[in-house]
Amino acid sequence: MAYHSSVGCDLGGDQPTGYATPSACFHTPEITITPGERDEYYKIFQAFCVAGAFIFSPMVSAGIIVQEGVAGGSGDVDNLLSNACSGNITGPALTVQGCLNNNHDIFVDLTSDENLFISGGQASLVAEDGGFSFLDIALSTEGYTFGKLQLNIDASDDGFVYFTGDPGGDSDSFELSKNGQNKFTITGENFNSVSFFTDVDSLSVDLVADLKQIRLGGIEVPVPEPGSLALLGLGLIGLRFARRRSKAS
């Protein structure tokens, strides 16, 4: 395929037919695309189309799944630690931090609406005033997600707990017992965060005496978005054409 060279001139309104000054003319050089280059552009275009399919395809959301107990075991999750971490916030603070057992560089933020303390080998979380009703759990590094969360709520009284996933939405209510352990496993999404709150008779009550055996699994790190890949493909095509035009000139 070839784009043939041509000469065009702005003759102006008062010039005789066929007359042109050199400064008024422009020249378009010949550009030839070889079969090999054509195939290369086609492959880039295919990659762009695949990326576009990811961009515009509907996202299927499973929603938050909460199960009582240690569902699926604990072989695929990492214990949250405190004492082994370096530089983590231990409190008293609204947000305290722990780190993962198998990677001390991955921090987890635990945020409430009142001051918290975190301590221990396997992290234990308590409120400064003895109890709390709300907690949000998220990986400290922006863009990191987790697919599984396990925790054990030590309740000071009987009541209920509700979980919310981002993404994933709200769960049903689950009973909390002041006698015994209240273990839960949360899955169903690649979560940015999971939060919970407790109540009694629909009134928010600080039922959580302490939170322990916090474990996270299915850690995912950010990857380039399909939109970025599509823009890269377009840029490569444009760069190839620009280089061909430059050589032809």
Side-chain angles (χ1 to χ4, degrees), residues 54-74:
F54 278 105
I55 296 170
F56 297 109
S57 61
M59 298 299 291
V60 178
S61 177
I64 189 171
I65 299 171
V66 180
Q67 298 171 276
E68 294 180 312
V70 184
S74 298

Side-chain angles (χ1 to χ4, degrees), residues 67-70 74 122-124 150-159 161 163 174-185 207-215:
Q67 298 171 276
E68 294 180 312
V70 184
S74 298
Q122 287 195 39
S124 177
Q150 292 178 335
L151 46 79
N152 186 0
I153 299 174
D154 180 13
S156 58
D157 205 344
D158 295 337
V161 61
F163 295 89
F174 292 84
E175 289 187 10
L176 290 176
S177 172
K178 66 179 180 181
N179 299 314
Q181 303 179 80
N182 301 279
K183 295 182 178 180
F184 298 94
T185 299
L207 291 180
V208 184
D210 68 75
L211 186 71
K212 52 194 175 185
Q213 296 173 5
I214 307 164
R215 305 183 180 108

Side-chain angles (χ1 to χ4, degrees), residues 77-93:
V77 289
D78 227 352
N79 288 319
L80 186 69
L81 310 179
S82 177
N83 293 350
C85 310
S86 177
N88 61 312
I89 302 169
T90 57

Side-chain angles (χ1 to χ4, degrees), residues 40-209:
E40 182 180 350
Y41 296 144
Y42 180 67
K43 289 177 182 178
I44 296 174
F45 178 72
Q46 282 183 313
F48 168 74
C49 291
V50 171
F54 278 105
I55 296 170
F56 297 109
S57 61
M59 298 299 291
V60 178
S61 177
I64 189 171
I65 299 171
V66 180
Q67 298 171 276
E68 294 180 312
V70 184
S74 298
D76 57 348
V77 289
D78 227 352
N79 288 319
L80 186 69
L81 310 179
S82 177
N83 293 350
C85 310
S86 177
N88 61 312
I89 302 169
T90 57
L94 295 179
T95 296
V96 294
Q97 296 173 317
C99 63
L100 297 183
N101 182 49
N102 289 327
N103 190 337
H104 293 180
D105 293 328
I106 298 181
F107 278 23
V108 178
D109 291 342
L110 304 109
T111 303
S112 185
D113 52 4
E114 54 188 287
N115 282 338
L116 302 173
F117 286 102
I118 189 170
S119 62
Q122 287 195 39
S124 177
L125 191 70
V126 298
E128 187 175 26
D129 65 1
F132 61 94
S133 61
F134 168 79
L135 186 71
D136 183 82
I137 301 172
L139 292 165
S140 301
T141 304
E142 184 177 359
Y144 279 41
T145 61
F146 56 94
K148 185 174 182 178
L149 170 67
Q150 292 178 335
L151 46 79
N152 186 0
I153 299 174
D154 180 13
S156 58
D157 205 344
D158 295 337
F160 296 91
V161 61
Y162 307 78
F163 295 89
T164 299
D166 173 24
D170 301 329
S171 75
D172 295 329
S173 63
F174 292 84
E175 289 187 10
L176 290 176
S177 172
K178 66 179 180 181
N179 299 314
Q181 303 179 80
N182 301 279
K183 295 182 178 180
F184 298 94
T185 299
I186 299 94
T187 58
E189 293 282 0
N190 287 330
F191 298 107
N192 298 310
S193 68
V194 170
S195 60
F196 69 79
F197 71 92
T198 61
D199 73 15
V200 176
D201 296 330
S202 300
L203 297 175
S204 177
V205 178
D206 291 344
L207 291 180
V208 184

